[in-house]
Amino acid sequence: MSNVPFHYVDLRAFSYATEDEKRVESALRTYLPEDTELDRQVTTGHHGDRIVVLSTRLETADEVRHVLDRLVSLPEYDAFLDELDDRVSEDCSLYLTLDKQAAFGGDVRQGDGITLRGKVEAYPANRESAVENAREAFEAARD
């Protein structure tokens, strides 16, 4: 896949007070290239509990390609491709949630805990173009 039609990909995970922050970081890194820097923000939950938000934005073609290549191993990859119409918003953003527990074990699965948002390149900038560009990118990643 030489051309990567994404402006950037954001990945984010929350480490709740009941979780080990290093394990959550390890889960998030399942999708990241080596040496990717993570932003760390400490916040407070509704009941006063401590929450650490770990996030990063990947902007280079190689970084984005790394994430897309990881997503190819989704067990439900064909279903994911079929759902692209529902996963791309009017502002050309692709949304996907990934299983944080599975990622800690090195597995790639849809689920809860890790949020992926990718800004799809589309000219003209409309949802239909973005869906088609994302579909082409993911199908090329599989080949």
Side-chain angles (χ1 to χ4, degrees):
M1 177 171 58
S2 58
N3 185 23
V4 181
F6 285 85
H7 294 289
Y8 57 82
V9 170
D10 292 331
L11 285 154
R12 180 179 65 193
F14 295 98
S15 177
Y16 297 99
T18 57
E19 296 177 308
D20 181 341
E21 183 181 334
K22 293 292 181 193
R23 295 180 106 184
V24 174
E25 179 179 336
S26 174
L28 188 57
R29 289 195 179 280
T30 296
Y31 296 95
L32 303 175
E34 276 188 48
D35 301 325
T36 299
E37 289 194 30
L38 292 176
D39 294 324
R40 182 179 179 275
Q41 182 180 8
V42 179
T43 188
T44 304
H46 180 72
H47 297 287
D49 51 322
R50 182 174 181 260
I51 300 172
V52 179
V53 182
L54 300 172
S55 63
T56 190
R57 174 169 284 186
L58 305 170
E59 298 179 303
T60 69
D62 286 342
E63 292 171 333
V64 172
R65 190 175 296 111
H66 180 87
V67 174
L68 299 183
D69 288 345
R70 294 293 292 152
L71 294 178
V72 169
S73 60
L74 282 168
E76 55 279 331
Y77 192 71
D78 289 328
F80 164 68
L81 289 179
D82 291 341
E83 297 170 351
L84 280 179
D85 263 356
D86 298 328
R87 295 189 173 281
V88 176
S89 67
E90 291 298 324
D91 74 344
C92 302
S93 293
L94 168 75
Y95 293 94
L96 178 65
T97 56
L98 302 160
D99 189 319
K100 182 169 51 174
Q101 186 65 39
F104 176 69
D107 294 327
V108 175
R109 283 199 307 244
Q110 287 182 255
D112 294 322
I114 298 175
T115 304
L116 180 146
R117 175 181 175 256
K119 186 68 169 184
V120 184
E121 290 179 359
Y123 304 101
N126 61 47
R127 189 177 157 286
E128 292 75 25
S129 295
V131 168
E132 186 57 33
N133 287 346
R135 186 176 315 283
E136 288 175 10
F138 284 111
E139 287 175 351
R142 182 174 23 189
D143 295 338

